Amino acid sequence: MPPHDKSVQSSRNAEHMQALLKRIRTEGDRVKLGGGPDAHAKQRAKGKLSARERIERLLDPGTKFLEVGLFAAHGMYEEYGGAPSSGTVFGIGTVHGRDVVIVANDATVKAGAWFPITAKKNLRAQEIAMENRLPIVYLVDSAGVFLPLQAEIFPDKEHFGRIFRNNAVMSSIGIPQIAVIMGPCVAGGAYLPIMSDEAMIVEKTGSVFLAGAHLVKAAIGEEIDNEKLGGADVHSEISGVTDHKMKDDAAALEKVRSIISKLGTKPAAPFNRTEPKAPKHEPKEVYGLLPADRAKPYDMYEVLDCIVDDGSWDEYKADYGRTIITGYARVDGWAVGIVANQRAVVRNAKGEMQVGGVIYSDSADKGARFIMNCNQKLIPLVFFQDVTGFMVGSRAEQGGIIKDGAKMVNAVANSVVPKLTFIVGNSYGAGNYAMCGKAYDPRLIFAWPSAQIAVMGGKQSSETLLAIKVQQMEKGGKHISAKEQAALLKEIQDRYESQLDPLYAAARLWVDGVIDPADTREVISRGLRMAAHNPDIPRFNPGVIQT
């Protein structure tokens, strides 16, 4: 492409990405309002800070909070008025120079009640704390389970009770848990702060009990108010359930900071880090690289030039399996192994054209071998996904694509070094698995605004669904005209496209969030710093991998 044409195309791409980012930021700002101004005013009238104000007071000044699950529950539970951010704010922050997982109930959203996705989000917080051996702080202000949906949150393995099981497991492996009861803490939810290692309660606003005053009266006929039943004085002076009684939110948060400042330190993981260098290109130049038309190819090497430290790239098997890029590099000084889908059209050793974004047998073989190398060398892995899946057709099947694909999936599944995943564009089918999707335990997984996650692309899936629908209707004796088929196809496409939106994935916690592509380098560095807190790396055993 001539330089002028390339510049014009880059500007168009950048405009498209910035429009996507504007939408994500606007929606994020709306979600951060929680239950809205009136609900926040009621919170302040009770002398309470909001969930986000509490987190801000807890963090070291000038440090960034890496939020996880901002868009949890986005577009869900609308019949109940919605649940912005699932009524819980969580992420990784810095307290006295230490990485800490922080979970805060947002009482402006349904009094901080737990929806099914809220439980999933809290389990994700505990998972991050356990995987990375990070202290965790719970800022509790919740009315308990959202009763209309209790059947979807109560009894199963990944439901509410798993949180208390994790409390016990984290204590047993030495992960500090500090809880602050800043509002109601009811029924089963009462176990979360009390199963923590240290618990404090705020006077007049904090309360904790297995059954509130109304239920106590209904159950045993006793008349008592909530403060006398389970307030700060009761649990700090009589029951001994809590360890500290604090006069207000600010004092409680300062006490948490003081406790964290005195925590001991443990050996760090042996990941290599040197003095950081800036990338070859400014991170924001990545905006102009991804085509607005997602069917068009682009060069993933150019994307990596906006992320990795300049001069640090050592490619692995550069001329083999070229639809996957593998190489050792540094990001903000951290040594990493990069596995990325190449979206440019390439030629294999035989001179045959290969479609960008598709994993061929040679690419899968290369990816598997590189992942094993990184595990042997204790180098964390970073995946950049823009994959439409594995190659299909008789030639691919005869060439053993299933065997080679299984080899790569096996290597990812058994990998023991920390893995970070970024969904740049497409994330379709088994390509999602081979490139370390959520099911393969990445320490963090974020999407760009250009991301799409699905079994297959919208066009292919819509046409497949239409064919099935038409066949069913014609079997029932109804003839479908071309006009009716077109209307059906549009209906199917619209529904499917809504599910490809990265916010749809973020709402269900398939990804930890949707980030600005220019922040990718910073997120990788933060993720690796976090991962380095856990020095316990098991020996890599790839299992059965056919060669």
Side-chain angles (χ1 to χ4, degrees):
M1 185 184 292
H4 173 71
D5 291 347
K6 189 172 182 179
S7 176
V8 169
Q9 188 60 55
S10 177
S11 296
R12 288 174 182 165
N13 293 344
E15 287 174 9
H16 177 71
M17 179 60 76
Q18 286 165 344
L20 294 177
L21 270 173
K22 182 179 180 181
R23 173 184 170 245
I24 296 296
R25 287 169 179 155
T26 300
E27 199 58 30
D29 289 342
R30 186 187 69 79
V31 168
K32 288 176 182 178
L33 295 175
D38 291 345
H40 280 275
K42 290 178 182 177
Q43 184 97 335
R44 285 192 294 273
K46 295 175 184 176
K48 296 161 71 174
L49 299 171
S50 70
R52 293 184 181 278
E53 287 170 337
R54 288 166 174 167
I55 291 171
E56 187 176 354
R57 291 276 188 106
L58 190 56
L59 299 178
D60 292 347
T63 60
K64 287 190 177 181
F65 181 62
L66 179 59
E67 186 163 356
V68 175
L70 171 63
F71 294 109
H74 184 271
M76 300 168 67
Y77 313 122
E78 295 299 324
E79 66 271 37
Y80 302 106
S85 209
S86 77
T88 300
V89 182
F90 122 68
I92 300 94
T94 306
V95 181
H96 280 289
R98 301 179 70 112
D99 285 325
V100 177
V101 175
I102 304 169
V103 185
N105 299 121
D106 185 352
T108 70
V109 179
K110 300 291 188 297
W114 290 59
F115 288 78
I117 200 70
T118 316
K120 185 176 182 179
K121 186 171 177 178
N122 277 262
L123 288 169
R124 177 65 175 142
Q126 292 181 319
E127 180 181 47
I128 287 175
M130 286 190 282
E131 286 181 332
N132 301 287
R133 298 295 190 269
L134 299 181
I136 185 167
V137 175
Y138 307 102
L139 306 179
V140 186
D141 192 349
S142 171
V145 168
F146 187 66
L147 287 177
L149 296 173
Q150 64 85 25
E152 299 176 38
I153 190 175
F154 171 63
D156 211 344
K157 181 178 178 179
E158 301 302 326
H159 285 178
F160 201 52
R162 187 75 172 183
I163 292 166
F164 316 135
R165 175 264 185 194
N166 287 349
N167 285 139
V169 169
M170 284 193 282
S171 283
S172 75
I173 59 178
I175 297 173
Q177 299 174 84
I178 303 167
V180 188
I181 302 164
M182 312 179 95
C185 188
V186 186
Y191 288 108
L192 185 146
I194 308 311
M195 290 189 72
S196 298
D197 302 298
E198 201 154 357
M200 60 191 75
I201 187 167
V202 177
E203 292 182 290
K204 297 184 174 56
T205 60
S207 59
V208 55
F209 31 66
L210 293 181
H214 292 297
L215 184 54
V216 165
K217 183 177 181 181
I220 63 172
E222 181 183 1
E223 292 198 19
I224 190 169
D225 63 37
N226 284 341
E227 186 65 27
K228 290 179 181 176
L229 180 66
D233 290 344
V234 171
H235 287 310
S236 297
E237 300 173 16
I238 301 172
S239 73
V241 165
T242 54
D243 305 306
H244 308 278
K245 180 171 66 173
M246 311 307 302
K247 68 175 182 178
D248 55 24
D249 283 7
L253 295 168
E254 192 54 46
K255 173 67 78 174
V256 174
R257 285 184 52 81
S258 180
I259 291 169
I260 290 173
S261 74
K262 299 174 179 68
L263 295 177
T265 57
K266 296 180 180 179
F271 306 136
N272 186 278
R273 192 182 191 193
T274 60
E275 189 68 27
K277 291 183 180 178
K280 183 177 180 180
H281 299 299
E282 282 291 321
K284 287 191 176 181
E285 289 187 34
V286 76
Y287 297 163
L289 299 177
L290 269 66
D293 179 356
R294 62 191 314 109
K296 288 187 176 179
Y298 64 90
D299 193 346
M300 184 62 83
Y301 287 104
E302 295 181 355
V303 173
L304 296 178
D305 280 343
C306 299
I307 296 170
V308 306
D309 292 10
D310 190 22
S312 68
W313 180 248
D314 294 309
E315 189 158 6
Y316 175 82
K317 290 185 179 290
D319 299 318
Y320 176 71
R322 296 178 64 202
T323 63
I324 282 184
I325 297 170
T326 53
Y328 308 103
R330 291 190 183 275
V331 176
D332 196 34
W334 292 98
V336 297
I338 287 177
V339 182
N341 300 114
Q342 172 59 297
R343 278 299 310 276
V345 177
V346 298
R347 291 183 184 274
N348 63 16
K350 299 175 183 177
E352 300 165 330
M353 301 298 289
Q354 292 185 326
V355 180
V358 175
I359 302 177
Y360 292 78
S361 282
D362 54 356
S363 303
D365 174 72
K366 176 170 95 170
R369 292 175 186 278
F370 180 71
I371 290 163
M372 290 189 283
N373 278 357
C374 287
N375 276 270
Q376 183 192 46
K377 297 171 183 176
L378 293 180
I379 299 175
L381 285 156
V382 184
F383 293 81
F384 291 94
Q385 288 194 16
D386 193 344
V387 57
T388 53
F390 287 91
M391 191 59 190
V392 298
S394 60
R395 185 173 178 183
E397 298 294 356
Q398 291 167 15
I401 186 65
I402 294 176
K403 177 189 71 175
D404 290 319
K407 186 191 305 182
M408 185 173 177
V409 170
N410 193 326
V412 174
N414 285 297
S415 178
V416 296
V417 295
K419 305 183 292 283
L420 306 176
T421 300
F422 297 87
I423 302 176
V424 173
N426 305 318
S427 180
Y428 297 158
N432 171 279
Y433 304 155
M435 294 296 295
C436 197
K438 182 69 180 291
Y440 290 79
D441 299 323
R443 297 288 179 96
L444 292 172
I445 176 169
F446 283 98
W448 289 8
S450 47
Q452 290 187 349
I453 304 174
V455 170
M456 62 180 76
K459 183 177 185 298
Q460 303 96 312
S461 59
S462 297
E463 289 175 358
T464 302
L465 289 168
L466 175 66
I468 293 169
K469 181 77 171 174
V470 168
Q471 187 179 44
Q472 288 173 339
M473 294 173 80
E474 288 184 342
K475 274 185 179 180
K478 183 177 180 182
H479 173 69
I480 310 298
S481 68
K483 185 176 180 181
E484 288 173 320
Q485 286 194 33
L488 269 174
L489 179 61
K490 185 179 185 310
E491 179 187 333
I492 292 168
Q493 284 177 332
D494 289 346
R495 183 171 66 249
Y496 200 86
E497 286 295 326
S498 71
Q499 295 176 357
L500 292 175
D501 190 325
L503 290 182
Y504 188 91
R508 289 151 183 82
L509 294 174
W510 300 346
V511 294
D512 291 322
V514 185
I515 63 166
D516 183 337
D519 291 339
T520 302
R521 176 179 163 86
E522 182 180 333
V523 172
I524 292 171
S525 181
R526 185 64 180 273
L528 294 176
R529 187 182 84 183
M530 177 180 83
H533 286 279
N534 184 0
D536 299 326
I537 302 172
R539 181 177 178 275
F540 176 63
N541 183 350
V544 178
I545 293 185
Q546 293 181 335
T547 55

